[in-house]
Amino acid sequence: MSVSVQEADFDLSAEVAALSDADTGIGAIATFIGKVRGEAHGNKLQSMSLEHYPGMTEAELARIEAAAVARFHLTASRIIHRIGALQPGDNIVLVIACAPHRHNAISACDFLMDYLKTEAPFWKKETGGDGHGSWVDARETDDAARSRWHSGDA
Amino acid sequence: MSVSVQEADFDLSAEVAALSDADTGIGAIATFIGKVRGEAHGNKLQSMSLEHYPGMTEAELARIEAAAVARFHLTASRIIHRIGALQPGDNIVLVIACAPHRHNAISACDFLMDYLKTEAPFWKKETGGDGHGSWVDARETDDAARSRWHSGDA
Amino acid sequence: MSTNENAREVTVRYFAWVREKVGLSEERVTVPPDVKTIGDLARWMQSRGDGYASAFAKPDAIRAAIDHKHVQALTQIGAAREIGFFPPVTGG
Amino acid sequence: MSTNENAREVTVRYFAWVREKVGLSEERVTVPPDVKTIGDLARWMQSRGDGYASAFAKPDAIRAAIDHKHVQALTQIGAAREIGFFPPVTGG
C-alpha cells in the first residue's frame, strides 16, 4: 500500500512490477489510468492545471486506499496522482489493485476511482484553445457513482 | 482492436502506449493481468501448461472483443493470452480497454475477463510440487459471473 | 469399402484430457448416417475403442465446437468441416 | 487589542476558485466567539471584504475540511488548528 502525489509521470509496468513481482499469491492485477483528453465539453483543450491540498490529499488517498484494501482483501495497491501543468494525452492518475482473484481486483479499481473522484482534494483548471482558463465543475454522476458503494464506507 | 495468442510474455506499458498514445479522445484506460499463482487448491504449484484450440481461439477472442467494443463504446482494446509452459508469477493474460470515460473502460475489462474465462478455448494443466499433473476444473463461479452480463450477449 | 451417400467425412480434433484419453489430437472420421447431432457423435465415439470409451464416458462433461464455434449436444452436424471436443474451458 | 477568551486563532486555507476570489492561499484568522460551526464561519467570511463576499456568496457551493478531514456545514469548529475551504473536488 502506498500513495504518491507528484508532478512527474509514472511508468505503468514498473509500478505493477514493484507491487507484484515478489508475491506469487497475486493472481489478478487491475489497473486504471486517467488521462487528459483533447476536448472538454466540445471545446478544444490547450492545457490543464491540477491543484491539490498538500497534507490533506495524502491523508485522504491513504484513507481511501485502506478502505479498498479492507473491503476487497487486496494483497497490494498503489495510487499515484499527478499535479501541476498537464497537456492533452498526459497521464493524470494511476490506481493498481492486486488480489488473489479477478473480481476483487477489478472492483477495487472501480471503488478507488469513485472515491478518489469525489473525496480526494484535487481541482482541475482547464485552459481552452482561446487561452481562457476555467475551473472544472464537479459532476453529479461522480457522486452517484460513489453512492453505489454505500455512503460512508470509505 | 486486436488479439494475440502467444508463448512470449508481454510488456504492459508498451501495449498501453501502442493503443492509446495517438488518441487524445481516450480519457480512461483499464487493464487486467492474470498471473500464475504459486499455490493451487492449497497445494504448491511447480508449473502450469496452457493448451488452446488454434484457429478457434483467435476467432473466439475477436468475437468477445467485438462484443465489448460495441457494448461499452470502447475507443481501443487489446487481448493477449499466453500458451505453453508457465511458472508461478508468470503473466497469463492481458486485457486493455480504452474509452472516453472510466466506468465503460473498467466494466469492459470485467466483461472481457468473464467471457474469456468461460468461452475462449484454453485449458490449464497444473503440475504440483510432487510432479503430478492435473487438468484444472472449470469453476461454476465463472459461469455465474458471465451470466451477470446476460447470456448470449457476446 | 462402399460409402453410404449420407456418410460424411469430418476432421475431429481433441483437446486437454479428451485428447489425452483418446490418444490423438486430430483425425479424419467417417460419420455414420444415423449420427445426426453432436450428442449422437459423442455417444458413437464411445464405441470406437477403450480410449474413446473413457474420454466420452460422460458426454455432459464434454463441450464441442463446429467449425470453431461453440455448439450444443442437440446441434446438427450438417455440413461441418471440423468438429472439436474438449472439456469446459479454463483459460484467463 | 483585547482578546476574548472564546476567540480562537486558526489557519485558514483556500483552494481553486475560492483561493482566486479571496486572493490569498492561506492566512491566520481570529474567529469571533459567536462563530461556532463551519457554516457560521463561511457566512462570517462574507463580511470580510469584496473578495471574501464573492468567494463565499453561495456557502452551499463550498466544501470544507478541519485538520485535513472533510466536514459538514453543521460541524463545530471546536479546537480546529487548520480549516480549508474549497469547491467540490474534481481530480482523478
Side-chain angles (χ1 to χ4, degrees):
Chain A
M1 287 178 61
S2 72
V3 305
S4 300
V5 180
Q6 61 189 45
E7 292 198 10
D9 198 7
F10 47 80
D11 182 81
L12 177 57
S13 290
E15 294 294 339
V16 166
L19 218 52
S20 61
D21 272 2
D23 186 346
T24 59
I26 294 172
I29 303 168
T31 80
F32 179 83
I33 289 176
K35 286 166 71 85
V36 182
R37 291 194 296 142
E39 268 197 4
H41 325 295
N43 298 315
K44 193 171 153 52
L45 184 82
Q46 189 181 101
S47 65
M48 174 180 282
S49 163
L50 257 151
E51 177 173 337
H52 79 122
Y53 187 158
M56 180 171 174
T57 314
E58 293 81 357
E60 279 292 300
L61 292 180
R63 189 180 61 79
I64 293 166
E65 189 184 43
V69 167
R71 181 170 182 145
F72 299 101
H73 313 290
L74 301 183
T75 314
S77 58
R78 180 92 170 98
I79 302 176
I80 302 177
H81 202 296
R82 296 180 70 190
I83 51 171
L86 299 173
Q87 312 302 318
D90 281 354
N91 293 326
I92 300 172
V93 62
L94 170 65
V95 308
I96 307 176
C98 303
H101 299 290
R102 75 184 184 282
H103 289 120
N104 276 4
I106 293 171
S107 295
C109 258
D110 204 14
F111 174 97
L112 282 164
M113 284 307 303
D114 282 350
Y115 275 86
L116 194 154
K117 282 258 177 190
T118 51
E119 307 202 342
F122 293 98
W123 301 275
K124 288 177 182 144
K125 190 173 193 173
E126 295 173 342
T127 301
D130 58 1
H132 179 72
S134 58
W135 293 96
V136 173
D137 280 330
R139 292 154 48 114
E140 285 177 17
T141 53
D142 286 333
D143 286 327
R146 192 202 54 183
S147 70
R148 293 182 302 157
W149 307 102
H150 309 294
S151 265
D153 279 354
Chain B
M1 288 176 62
S2 71
V3 305
S4 300
V5 180
Q6 61 189 44
E7 292 196 9
D9 198 8
F10 48 78
D11 182 80
L12 177 58
S13 289
E15 294 294 339
V16 165
L19 218 52
S20 61
D21 272 2
D23 186 347
T24 59
I26 294 172
I29 303 169
T31 80
F32 178 84
I33 290 176
K35 286 166 73 84
V36 182
R37 292 193 296 142
E39 269 197 5
H41 325 294
N43 298 315
K44 194 171 150 57
L45 185 81
Q46 188 182 99
S47 64
M48 174 179 283
S49 163
L50 257 152
E51 177 173 337
H52 78 123
Y53 187 159
M56 180 170 172
T57 314
E58 294 80 356
E60 278 294 299
L61 292 179
R63 189 180 62 77
I64 292 166
E65 189 184 43
V69 167
R71 182 170 181 145
F72 300 102
H73 312 292
L74 301 182
T75 314
S77 58
R78 181 91 170 98
I79 303 176
I80 301 176
H81 203 296
R82 296 180 71 191
I83 50 171
L86 299 173
Q87 312 301 319
D90 280 355
N91 293 324
I92 301 172
V93 62
L94 169 65
V95 306
I96 307 176
C98 303
H101 299 290
R102 77 184 182 282
H103 288 120
N104 275 5
I106 293 171
S107 295
C109 259
D110 203 14
F111 173 98
L112 283 164
M113 284 306 302
D114 281 351
Y115 275 85
L116 194 153
K117 283 260 178 191
T118 51
E119 306 202 341
F122 292 98
W123 301 276
K124 287 178 184 143
K125 190 175 193 173
E126 295 172 344
T127 300
D130 58 1
H132 179 72
S134 58
W135 292 97
V136 174
D137 281 330
R139 293 154 47 114
E140 286 177 16
T141 53
D142 286 332
D143 286 326
R146 192 202 55 184
S147 71
R148 292 184 301 158
W149 307 102
H150 310 293
S151 265
D153 279 356
Chain C
M1 189 171 145
S2 75
T3 310
N4 183 301
E5 63 179 5
N6 290 318
R8 296 137 292 172
E9 268 220 339
V10 295
T11 298
V12 183
R13 299 175 74 177
Y14 310 101
F15 296 92
W17 56 254
V18 181
R19 171 181 56 72
E20 288 183 341
K21 291 186 176 185
V22 168
L24 280 175
S25 61
E26 180 175 337
E27 62 180 326
R28 289 291 286 174
V29 170
T30 301
V31 179
D34 59 327
V35 170
K36 305 289 191 195
T37 67
I38 287 292
D40 294 341
L41 183 60
R43 279 184 296 276
W44 175 73
M45 284 281 176
Q46 293 172 359
S47 69
R48 297 181 67 220
D50 287 351
Y52 295 93
S54 167
F56 288 89
K58 293 180 181 169
D60 287 354
I62 293 184
R63 301 289 175 268
I66 292 180
D67 295 338
H68 297 170
K69 292 200 177 76
H70 289 289
V71 294
Q72 306 298 318
L74 292 175
T75 305
Q76 297 285 322
I77 294 170
R81 289 184 303 272
E82 180 177 311
I83 294 171
F85 285 113
F86 41 79
V89 305
T90 58
Chain D
M1 189 171 147
S2 73
T3 307
N4 182 302
E5 62 180 6
N6 289 317
R8 296 137 295 172
E9 267 220 342
V10 296
T11 299
V12 183
R13 299 174 73 178
Y14 310 100
F15 296 93
W17 57 253
V18 179
R19 172 181 55 73
E20 288 182 343
K21 289 185 177 184
V22 167
L24 281 175
S25 60
E26 180 175 337
E27 63 181 325
R28 290 289 288 175
V29 170
T30 301
V31 179
D34 59 328
V35 169
K36 306 286 191 195
T37 67
I38 287 291
D40 294 342
L41 182 60
R43 279 183 295 275
W44 176 72
M45 284 282 176
Q46 294 172 357
S47 69
R48 296 181 66 222
D50 287 351
Y52 294 93
S54 167
F56 289 88
K58 294 181 182 169
D60 287 354
I62 294 184
R63 302 288 176 268
I66 292 180
D67 296 337
H68 296 170
K69 293 200 177 76
H70 290 288
V71 294
Q72 306 299 317
L74 291 175
T75 305
Q76 297 284 322
I77 293 170
R81 291 184 301 274
E82 179 178 311
I83 294 171
F85 285 112
F86 42 79
V89 305
T90 57

